[in-house]
Amino acid sequence: MEKATLYVVKAPKTIMEMTWEEVEELGKKTDVAMVGVASIEEHGYHLPLGMDTFFCTEILKFAGETLAAEGYHALIGPTVEYGFCPGTKDYPGTIS
């Protein structure tokens, strides 16, 4: 049976993808961390519930790359998966 790839880490890494040693090394270069907040909610029949979280994490990664290109380093922290979703609260899987 062929094994499916479940996850691929693309640079830059977030704290969730780093070892403690990598975080320690980054801590020697910076004391800045970025943390995102995004909802888990319904997005129609064609998109997963985590779209806001996925986008938020990618935006944090883009910001981290942009800062690094300018010579600044920042820890890309986790995206906190929580939101206030009154319009989609009745859909299964929405966290509000």
Side-chain angles (χ1 to χ4, degrees), residues 14-92:
T14 69
I15 193 171
M16 300 296 287
E17 299 158 333
M18 299 171 79
T19 65
W20 69 267
E21 292 163 321
E22 291 172 314
V23 174
E24 183 178 50
E25 274 304 305
L26 183 57
K28 294 174 183 176
K29 299 178 189 176
T30 187
D31 58 359
V32 175
M34 300 181 292
V35 177
V37 179
S39 298
I40 296 176
E41 63 180 336
E42 177 274 334
H43 287 93
Y45 296 104
H46 63 298
L47 295 173
L49 299 172
M51 284 307 302
D52 295 338
T53 301
F54 303 150
F55 279 130
C56 185
T57 301
E58 290 303 313
I59 290 167
L60 289 173
K61 285 185 165 198
F62 179 76
E65 286 179 320
T66 302
L67 288 169
E70 296 291 325
Y72 302 101
H73 301 280
L75 176 71
I76 302 169
T79 297
V80 178
E81 297 172 328
Y82 180 79
F84 178 62
C85 314
T88 59
K89 67 179 173 61
D90 294 329
Y91 289 91

